[in-house]
Amino acid sequence: MAIEPDALDRTGLELAAMLRQLRRQAGLSGARLAARCNMSQSKVSRIEGNRVRPSLVDVEQILKGIGVSPAVAAEAMAMARIAQTEWQDRKALHRKGLDKKQLELAGLEAATDDFRFFLLSMVTGLLSTPEYIRASILNAPPTQQAKALGMKLERQAVLLDRSKRFTFILTEQAVRYPLVAPDAMAVQIDHISSLARQANITISLLPSSVRYSDTPLSTFTVYDERLATIETDLGAAVFRDPRDVRSLLDRFAFYEDRSVTGDAAQDLLSRWAGEFRS
């Protein structure tokens, strides 16, 4: 699933222009279309001006109110699906402040019951020791690091909520990436092993010897079945369209079928930690 931030922005502009043009071709004023769609005129105006991102339901209502052909509706909905993807630029997030991102994640975690994490290259903050977290945010502005560390550690409390279910799939690269000193890496791996014994947490591993993909991979997270994120070194894309979320759920299940869990995963973690200690 390729992520192109510029393409996402262009699609939003093109969708807004298309909806505006379709309304005008139908001879409808903004007020008349708004009445047909049970929307406010100001909302229609903001959508057509690309000042607000319309939901898929919004676009469906507008197209129905205009009365377009099935072919035109299909084209517009395809554009709406792409435009619905939100891009979060990593540099912009740092300028905004890591604490804002941590608050956003905490809110998302509070509203989620079933979490699925695919971790490609590093361990996520929820599974990390303080030393590992500290090393992972060294590129952030120094003034933000202490607060971000504290907030990341506070977010780990969500793992104690036994009403929530967490499934983590980690590649061998993610577990063994030497972000900190060898003795600290051994402690980090022991920490993952300990969390794997918690009833509401499943830790699955993909050893490097297992072939599980022929295409480039990305870290991703699925929250229940309503929202998903894909992370790259440039930032993160947020997907809300059910088809995109389902695609990532299917991909997660594919990796899960090929992963090692339970006692076999504990044996691997113990061996990897031992190698760092030696």
Side-chain angles (χ1 to χ4, degrees), residues 98-99 102 125 128-137 140 143-156:
L98 289 180
D99 56 332
Q102 294 307 305
S128 297
T129 62
E131 188 166 356
Y132 192 96
I133 292 175
R134 190 178 293 110
S136 73
I137 57 176
T143 54
Q144 297 183 22
Q145 291 178 16
K147 190 172 184 179
L149 171 62
M151 295 180 77
K152 280 177 174 282
L153 291 173
E154 286 177 10
R155 282 179 44 225
Q156 292 180 354

Side-chain angles (χ1 to χ4, degrees), residues 141-177:
T143 54
Q144 297 183 22
Q145 291 178 16
K147 190 172 184 179
L149 171 62
M151 295 180 77
K152 280 177 174 282
L153 291 173
E154 286 177 10
R155 282 179 44 225
Q156 292 180 354
V158 73
L159 297 174
L160 301 177
D161 185 344
R162 295 304 199 273
S163 68
K164 298 179 183 291
R165 175 74 185 171
F166 302 84
T167 305
F168 298 88
I169 301 177
L170 300 94
T171 67
E172 181 175 345
Q173 176 187 355
V175 177
R176 303 182 66 171
Y177 180 72

Side-chain angles (χ1 to χ4, degrees), residues 82-123:
I82 298 173
Q84 186 66 14
T85 303
E86 175 187 343
W87 176 256
Q88 299 179 341
D89 179 80
R90 193 172 299 279
K91 290 183 179 179
L93 287 174
H94 281 173
R95 290 194 298 270
K96 184 179 178 182
L98 289 180
D99 56 332
K100 303 293 192 303
K101 180 62 177 178
Q102 294 307 305
L103 287 172
E104 177 185 316
L105 287 171
L108 184 56
E109 289 159 0
T112 302
D113 294 321
D114 196 355
F115 300 76
R116 297 173 180 87
F117 296 82
F118 175 71
L119 305 175
L120 174 65
S121 56
M122 285 179 58
V123 175

Side-chain angles (χ1 to χ4, degrees), residues 10 62 71 101 117 185 237:
R10 287 197 304 272
I62 289 173
K101 180 62 177 178
F117 296 82
M185 280 300 303

Side-chain angles (χ1 to χ4, degrees), residues 63-259:
L63 295 172
K64 185 177 179 180
I66 295 172
V68 301
S69 69
V72 172
E75 180 183 355
M77 289 304 298
M79 293 175 65
R81 181 168 169 253
I82 298 173
Q84 186 66 14
T85 303
E86 175 187 343
W87 176 256
Q88 299 179 341
D89 179 80
R90 193 172 299 279
K91 290 183 179 179
L93 287 174
H94 281 173
R95 290 194 298 270
K96 184 179 178 182
L98 289 180
D99 56 332
K100 303 293 192 303
K101 180 62 177 178
Q102 294 307 305
L103 287 172
E104 177 185 316
L105 287 171
L108 184 56
E109 289 159 0
T112 302
D113 294 321
D114 196 355
F115 300 76
R116 297 173 180 87
F117 296 82
F118 175 71
L119 305 175
L120 174 65
S121 56
M122 285 179 58
V123 175
T124 182
L126 290 180
L127 299 179
S128 297
T129 62
E131 188 166 356
Y132 192 96
I133 292 175
R134 190 178 293 110
S136 73
I137 57 176
L138 285 179
N139 289 332
T143 54
Q144 297 183 22
Q145 291 178 16
K147 190 172 184 179
L149 171 62
M151 295 180 77
K152 280 177 174 282
L153 291 173
E154 286 177 10
R155 282 179 44 225
Q156 292 180 354
V158 73
L159 297 174
L160 301 177
D161 185 344
R162 295 304 199 273
S163 68
K164 298 179 183 291
R165 175 74 185 171
F166 302 84
T167 305
F168 298 88
I169 301 177
L170 300 94
T171 67
E172 181 175 345
Q173 176 187 355
V175 177
R176 303 182 66 171
Y177 180 72
L179 186 65
V180 290
D183 60 332
M185 280 300 303
V187 172
Q188 169 61 54
I189 296 174
D190 288 343
H191 182 60
I192 295 173
S193 178
S194 176
L195 288 171
R197 294 183 171 88
Q198 191 167 305
N200 63 328
I201 297 176
T202 298
I203 301 291
S204 298
L205 305 175
L206 282 170
S208 56
S209 59
V210 175
R211 181 171 180 174
Y212 49 87
S213 180
D214 296 319
T215 60
L217 304 178
S218 297
T219 289
F220 66 86
T221 307
V222 182
Y223 299 88
D224 291 325
E225 296 186 2
R226 59 188 173 83
L227 184 148
T229 63
I230 292 181
E231 297 180 31
T232 74
D233 59 329
L234 298 177
V238 182
F239 298 87
R240 295 179 176 84
D241 186 281
R243 288 169 292 186
D244 292 325
V245 176
R246 172 47 55 189
S247 175
L248 287 172
L249 283 170
D250 291 343
R251 188 176 300 185
F252 190 89
F254 178 84
Y255 297 152
E256 196 169 24
D257 286 344
R258 286 152 180 78
S259 64

